[in-house]
């Protein structure tokens, strides 16, 4: 294998998804510790003070002490070169969170053992399923009282619609947590609450061995044997091919905080997941091993600092090798250019880079020429990667400028910010531009929008939130009039700036009502025509 091939083969690019507080940050930190990328835990986003080191680009982040956009971290472990894409949660949840998943080749889903599947996990999971990427489950906080492991697996299967394969199985939880039994290796990984050691001890053991009773006590031993027999009989067989196509999720139990089960998880995960996947384009699949460079823009981060109105475009390298010395072709802009200041995040530091390979994520200076989904490739190539879908916003507001004389700047600003992908804007069809409806995935984007209009376009706005929570694009019929539809009072027909028609609903129930009353309607949650 050439050096070029082995560089790509050893890359693993994944996103970590979870509901806030499930332990995503803690698990990420432990990964970085194994990779030697950080010297001690607490450096990824040691809340407020140290977090600024990771992403200090936006003033609003500093003011609020939260990270508006997702970070990317690269580190080495066991010969692998790992890119972790962080997906922000809490109120900084935004479309970027979804788009980040477009850049990943697999996902690690962290679930709180006491809580099971939660709202945000469910949302992010849907996007992973749409792409058929492998999904690995880490059921965390087993050092605390957790729910029955069978019930947890069943919930994942039922709620998320993916089969599960428990790779290891917990022996108790909380005060009684003794460790996990690895079904493949047939060994017990012992948990001890007073060790914070990197690796807890393991014992290779046959479940029939009488020593097991001494080790676990009669009751725990019997329970484990019964559980494993049940699992072997009833759960799915392990099938790597199904794992790689996102149909079967390997499940691991552990405790990120005490570093228990983290290393075996990381090792199995790296072994089971894939190197950079091929990507679909206007000229068919583009394989990571192609000898030309190609990448697409999945995120644009505006710099809120007025003195430097620059922006960073984040690229996922899809094929070949990126060489900072060489020109690339920007397909949508129809121009050859040199990417300036290409950089990568290595744990807490940003570094200017000279080269990158398929699978890597790089940030480049954007003088305002890139849009989400744009393709960059070696000169001579002209294909475009498939567009990144638009995700349904969940919060809506009616917005207008305080000063009606500033209507023009307002519209220009709103359109520009929408083009960058921070917000989506809609209007009422058939009425022209009487009002603008702004839709966002996370409410923080409203503040970002207001801040940017004030600072970059000198426009103060008035914002009235609307009671809608759900949006669906109308896929079919393509042509129709408002009077053709039977809509309830809590549903509004709007149009995006490309002329696509959409419906806003105030409850999930009303989506069903409208679908039932309009059998000709085909609604979608992701708009792939964007
Ligand atoms: P995130 O919001 O998903 O990034 O969650 P964090 O990693 O910030 O963790 C949320 C809280 O749960 C923190 O107080 C962690 O210390 C705690 N936590 C994380 N993992 C574990 C675990 O395995 N056991 C226990 N008991 N607490 C944990």
């Amino acid at each position: 294998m050439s050096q070029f091939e082995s560089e790509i083969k050893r890359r693993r690019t994944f996103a970590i998804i979870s509901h806030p507080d499930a332990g995503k940050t803690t698990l990420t930190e432990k990964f970085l510790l194994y990779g030697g990328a950080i010297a001690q835990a607490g450096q990824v986003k040691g809340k407020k003070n140290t977090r600024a080191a990771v992403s200090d680009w936006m003033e609003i982040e500093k003011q609020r002490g939260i990270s508006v956009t997702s970070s990317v971290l690269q580190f080495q472990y066991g010969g692998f070169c790992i890119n972790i894409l962080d997906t922000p949660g809490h109120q900084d949840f935004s479309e970027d969170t979804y788009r980040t998943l477009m850049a990943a080749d697999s996902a690690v889903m962290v679930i709180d053992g006491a809580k099971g599947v939660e709202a945000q996990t469910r949302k992010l999971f849907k996007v992973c399923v749409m792409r058929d990427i492998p999904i690995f489950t880490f059921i965390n906080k087993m050092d605390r009282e957790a729910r029955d492991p069978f019930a947890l697996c069943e919930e994942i299967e039922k709620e998320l619609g993916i089969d599960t394969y428990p790779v290891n199985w917990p022996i108790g939880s909380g005060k009684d947590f003794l460790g996990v039994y690895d079904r493949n290796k047939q060994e017990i990984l012992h948990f001890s609450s007073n060790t914070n050691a990197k690796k807890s001890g393991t014992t290779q053991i046959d479940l029939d061995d009488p020593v097991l009773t001494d080790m676990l006590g009669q009751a725990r031993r019997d329970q484990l044997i019964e559980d494993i027999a049940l699992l072997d009989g009833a759960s799915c067989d392990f099938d790597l091919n199904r794992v790689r196509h996102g149909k079967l999720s390997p499940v691991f139990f552990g405790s990120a905080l005490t570093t228990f089960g983290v290393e075996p998880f990381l090792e199995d995960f790296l072994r089971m997941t894939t190197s950079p996947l091929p990507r679909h384009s206007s000229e068919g699949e583009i394989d990571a091993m192609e000898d030309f460079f190609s990448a697409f823009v999945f995120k644009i981060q505006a710099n809120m600092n007025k003195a430097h109105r620059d922006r960073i475009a984040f690229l996922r390298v899809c094929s070949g090798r990126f060489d900072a010395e060489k020109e690339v072709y920007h397909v949508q802009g129809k121009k050859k250019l040199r990417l300036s200041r290409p950089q990568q995040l290595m744990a807490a530091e940003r570094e200017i880079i000279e080269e990158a390979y398929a699978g890597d994520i790089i940030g480049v200076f954007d003088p305002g020429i890139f849009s989400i989904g744009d393709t960059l490739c070696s000169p001579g190539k002209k294909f475009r990667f498939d567009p990144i879908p638009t995700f349904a916003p969940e919060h809506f507001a009616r917005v207008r400028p305080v000063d009606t004389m500033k209507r023009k700047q307002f519209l220009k600003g709103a359109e520009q910010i929408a083009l960058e992908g921070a917000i989506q804007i809609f209007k009422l069809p058939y009425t022209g531009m009487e009002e603008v409806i702004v839709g966002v995935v996370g409410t923080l984007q409203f503040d970002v929008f207001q801040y940017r209009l004030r600072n970059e376009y000198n426009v103060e706005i008035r914002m009235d939130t609307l009671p809608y929570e759900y949006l669906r694009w109308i896929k079919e019929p393509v042509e129709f009039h408002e009077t053709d539809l039977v809509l309830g009072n809590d549903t509004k027909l709007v149009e995006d700036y490309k002329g696509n028609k959409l419906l806003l609903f105030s409850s999930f129930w009303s989506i069903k009502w409208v679908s039932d009353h309009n059998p000709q309607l085909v609604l979608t949650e992701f708009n792939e025509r964007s």
Side-chain angles (χ1 to χ4, degrees), residues 18-27 45 47 90 110 138 140-144 254-259:
S18 76
H19 191 80
D21 284 337
K24 186 168 53 103
T25 310
T26 311
L27 186 64
K45 44 175 182 180
K47 311 294 173 199
H90 293 278
V110 185
F138 187 82
N140 192 28
K141 306 198 186 181
M142 292 309 292
D143 58 302
R144 289 230 190 116
S255 159
L257 188 65
T258 56
T259 322

Side-chain angles (χ1 to χ4, degrees), residues 387-459:
I388 292 183
T390 310
F391 300 95
E394 290 166 26
H395 305 275
F396 300 90
R398 178 184 297 142
V399 184
R400 52 182 167 266
V402 172
D403 179 355
T404 49
M405 301 293 283
K406 293 205 170 159
R407 186 151 188 84
K408 249 180 133 174
Q409 286 109 295
F410 164 69
L411 286 177
K412 187 170 161 240
E415 278 174 40
Q416 181 55 38
I417 296 167
L419 207 65
E420 288 170 20
I423 55 156
Q424 294 179 45
I425 49 176
F426 308 100
K427 57 184 179 177
L428 298 175
Y430 323 114
T431 57
M433 286 295 304
E434 290 316 307
E435 63 184 345
V436 175
I437 295 171
V438 173
V440 296
V441 172
T443 49
L444 181 71
Q445 298 308 117
F446 282 140
D447 298 353
V448 172
F449 178 56
Q450 186 156 25
Y451 183 96
R452 292 193 54 192
L453 277 177
R454 181 185 302 139
N455 285 279
E456 294 172 31
Y457 297 90
N458 197 23
V459 179

Side-chain angles (χ1 to χ4, degrees), residues 512-524:
K512 192 177 167 336
W513 191 92
V514 167
S515 300
D516 289 348
H517 286 77
N518 301 273
Q520 80 279 24
L521 266 189
V522 181
L523 302 173
T524 69

Side-chain angles (χ1 to χ4, degrees), residues 245-264:
H245 289 89
K247 305 292 176 227
L248 179 69
S249 179
V251 175
F252 300 77
F253 291 84
S255 159
L257 188 65
T258 56
T259 322
F260 178 81
V262 175
E263 197 167 27

